[in-house]
Amino acid sequence: MSKKYEKVKKYFEDGLWKEERVTNAVLKGWITVEEFREITGVIYDI
């Protein structure tokens, strides 16, 4: 599990971050593509 996974997940679940912001977390290397899918339920598409 990535270091910032729980933080990104909480922000998304609390409605503070939308899918686009979680995508940015992948691009910054905060979370993995697989973690993106776990958080959003969407397959990451570049």
Side-chain angles (χ1 to χ4, degrees):
M1 185 178 307
S2 299
K3 194 172 185 179
K4 297 194 179 192
Y5 173 82
E6 290 297 331
K7 180 183 279 190
V8 173
K9 182 178 182 202
K10 179 164 178 32
Y11 287 170
F12 183 75
E13 289 176 346
D14 289 350
L16 300 173
W17 284 15
K18 297 195 181 307
E19 187 179 317
E20 180 181 351
R21 194 88 182 256
V22 181
T23 299
N24 288 338
V26 174
L27 296 174
K28 290 181 178 185
W30 289 8
I31 60 171
T32 66
V33 170
E34 179 60 27
E35 290 168 338
F36 174 88
R37 187 193 58 76
E38 291 173 14
I39 293 169
T40 63
V42 175
I43 296 174
Y44 184 84
D45 186 25
I46 298 174

